[in-house]
């Protein structure tokens, strides 16, 4: 299967190339594509580099599957052109996620929606939603879900290379004695992100929620095929380099014991579960790991139908590149590794 990566020079694209280098179901090196800005750039891929090319000059007819991580505008422009040329497109942006004709896929939850021979666009969900969807799917299967409430703590890498660079610059400034006001934002974040926490990701909606919070609401419902599910989210940006965390409260349709909850989570593919309520992983610990880690599992006091837990994952891997590579592998009738 011949692969292309659009957005190869970005944070997600580079993670994609590193994951693809160990897959045995792709033919040769993937075609690394970007805008004209990064054309000619050498990117690490296995034993040798691949050279980034301007997507506008690419031979689209030679591609079976293209994985996009180049933002919504590039996706809206290029995805129909790649599909027209005969490729399947796995897209990381939010451009197609609410299109009823486009499957929104987390392979461990609803992977049956795609398989070998699939053509057209397949959407990769929002990074926070993916890691929340895995434990929620396990709870839905074990006891039925009534409500999900999530508070996310999201790393700066979730905003791409620019987010990373803004934290570096501000942290260096503060360390050097600069008196930057916390209320002043930069080019990427709306307030100073260094030594701070910001409860605002994306544009404000008339309902009082920010865009990221609405993505979790809409996408979790779609992935679980539960349009009736009560889902709320408060999304925050924190000065963590990489790895998103979320504190989740789930209300279930029946009473459960903690042993039953831990067993259901531990049996779910893609999840790694801490066996006791006091154990957990942190974003920095799981950076570089493709699993979703659940810890701090406990009952809400006085209720056996409500559970609280902490979930962490690498947003560049399971939140983006790994989920997309898993989908591409399904299109090849193979298993990602
Ligand atoms: N970071 C995450 O955790 C995460 C998680 C899930 C989804 N995503 C999504 O993945 C996408 C990329 O994120 P990122 O973090 O990798 O961002 P990034 O580091 O800023 O990289 C952006 C990439 O997109 C390319 N690009 C931008 N505009 C383009 C255009 N008009 N035509 C062709 N290529 C273009 C850039 O190429 P140049 O180098 O040529 O500019 C670069 O390769 C976004 O849609 C984002 O929402 C990110």
């Amino acid at each position: 299967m011949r692969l292309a990566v659009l957005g190869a020079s970005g944070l997600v694209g580079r993670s994609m190339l590193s994951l693809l280098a160990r897959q045995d179901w792709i033919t040769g090196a993937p075609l690394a594509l970007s805008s004209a800005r990064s054309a000619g750039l050498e990117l690490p891929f296995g034993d040798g580099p691949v050279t980034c090319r301007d997507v506008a000059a690419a031979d689209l007819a030679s591609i079976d599957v293209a994985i996009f991580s180049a933002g919504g505008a590039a996706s809206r422009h290029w995805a129909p052109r790649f599909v027209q040329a005969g490729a399947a497109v796995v897209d990381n942006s939010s451009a197609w996620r609410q299109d009823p004709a486009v499957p929104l896929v987390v392979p461990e939850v609803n992977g049956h929606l795609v398989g070998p021979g699939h053509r057209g666009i397949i959407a990769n969900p929002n990074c926070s939603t993916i890691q929340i969807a895995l434990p929620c799917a396990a709870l839905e299967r074990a006891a039925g879900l009534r409500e999900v409430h999530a508070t996310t703590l999201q790393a700066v890498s979730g905003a791409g290379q620019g987010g990373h660079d803004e934290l570096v610059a501000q942290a260096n400034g503060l360390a050097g004695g600069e008196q930057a006001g916390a209320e002043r934002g930069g080019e990427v974040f709306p307030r100073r992100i260094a030594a701070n926490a910001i409860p605002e990701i994306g544009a404000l909606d008339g309902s009082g929620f920010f865009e990221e919070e609405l993505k979790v609401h809409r996408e979790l419902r779609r992935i679980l095929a539960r349009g009736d599910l009560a889902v709320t989210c408060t999304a925050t940006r924190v000065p963590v380099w990489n790895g998103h965390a979320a504190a989740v409260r789930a209300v279930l349709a029946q009473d459960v014991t903690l042993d039953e909850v831990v067993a259901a989570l531990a049996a779910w593919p893609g999840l790694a579960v801490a066996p006791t309520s006091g154990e957990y992983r942190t974003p920095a610990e799981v950076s570089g790991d493709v699993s979703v880690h659940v810890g701090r599992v406990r009952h809400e006091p006085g209720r056996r139908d409500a559970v609280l837990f902490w979930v962490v994952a690498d947003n560049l891997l399971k939140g983006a590149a790994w989920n997309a590579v898993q989908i591409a592998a399904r299109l090849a009738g193979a298993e990602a590794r």
Side-chain angles (χ1 to χ4, degrees):
M1 174 170 277
R2 291 156 305 168
L3 248 85
V5 174
L6 176 62
S9 56
L11 281 188
V12 174
R14 287 169 189 262
S15 299
M16 206 95 75
L17 290 178
S18 111
L19 292 171
L20 288 172
R22 61 180 203 229
Q23 309 303 318
D24 57 8
W25 43 270
I26 70 170
T27 311
L31 188 57
L33 302 172
S34 65
S35 78
R37 284 182 295 271
S38 295
L41 189 69
E42 305 246 292
L43 298 167
F45 177 75
D47 292 336
V50 286
T51 306
C52 215
R53 305 197 183 286
D54 181 356
V55 59
D59 171 18
L60 306 191
S62 68
I63 299 162
D64 297 311
V65 174
I67 310 182
F68 280 24
S69 59
S75 180
R76 275 187 290 276
H77 178 81
W78 286 107
R81 288 166 170 78
F82 276 66
V83 169
Q84 180 71 33
V89 171
V90 182
D91 182 47
N92 268 289
S93 81
S94 55
W96 308 98
R97 290 183 192 148
Q98 293 308 313
D99 184 330
V102 172
L104 182 67
V105 176
V106 179
E108 296 88 345
V109 179
N110 59 355
H112 62 276
L113 295 179
V114 290
H118 191 103
R119 284 289 173 265
I121 304 168
I122 299 152
N124 218 45
N126 163 269
C127 42
S128 295
T129 312
I130 291 177
Q131 70 185 63
I132 294 168
L134 265 73
C136 284
L139 295 177
E140 166 76 350
R141 169 88 58 86
L145 281 170
R146 280 199 201 287
E147 295 172 28
V148 177
H149 304 277
T151 300
T152 69
L153 297 91
Q154 302 186 210
V156 293
S157 66
Q161 188 63 49
H164 180 272
D165 296 347
E166 194 158 299
L167 176 56
V168 172
Q170 292 178 354
N172 285 341
L174 288 181
E178 205 176 88
Q179 300 290 316
E183 71 289 354
R184 260 193 291 133
E187 281 183 18
V188 180
F189 303 117
R191 307 284 170 94
R192 192 191 74 207
I193 185 62
N196 210 0
I198 309 173
E200 171 179 351
I201 303 180
L204 184 64
D205 178 80
S207 60
F209 286 91
F210 287 99
E211 194 183 345
E212 183 82 356
E213 298 165 339
L214 294 175
K215 285 180 185 174
V216 173
H217 169 82
R218 293 190 206 107
E219 295 180 25
L220 188 61
R221 286 174 152 201
R222 247 200 112 188
I223 295 161
L224 297 178
R226 282 284 313 273
D228 61 325
L229 186 63
V231 181
T232 58
C233 176
T234 300
T236 72
R237 184 76 68 187
V238 292
V240 165
W241 295 121
N242 188 44
H244 289 352
V248 180
R249 172 178 182 266
V251 179
L252 307 172
Q254 62 190 67
D255 288 358
V256 285
T257 66
L258 273 193
D259 284 349
E260 286 167 338
V261 172
V262 169
L265 294 168
W268 199 264
L271 282 182
V273 184
T276 70
S277 306
E279 290 180 73
Y280 58 88
R281 305 298 296 277
T282 64
E285 290 165 4
V286 308
S287 189
D289 186 337
V290 298
S291 297
V292 172
H293 295 262
V294 179
R296 301 286 327 274
V297 181
R298 60 216 191 271
H299 274 129
E300 186 169 308
R303 289 184 66 167
R304 294 174 70 80
D305 65 339
V307 288
L308 308 171
F309 59 90
W310 170 254
V311 56
V312 252
D314 185 327
N315 49 291
L316 294 176
L317 294 179
K318 184 56 183 166
W322 175 243
N323 200 71
V325 169
Q326 286 179 298
I327 294 171
R330 291 187 75 85
L331 302 181
E335 189 82 25
R337 55 202 199 124

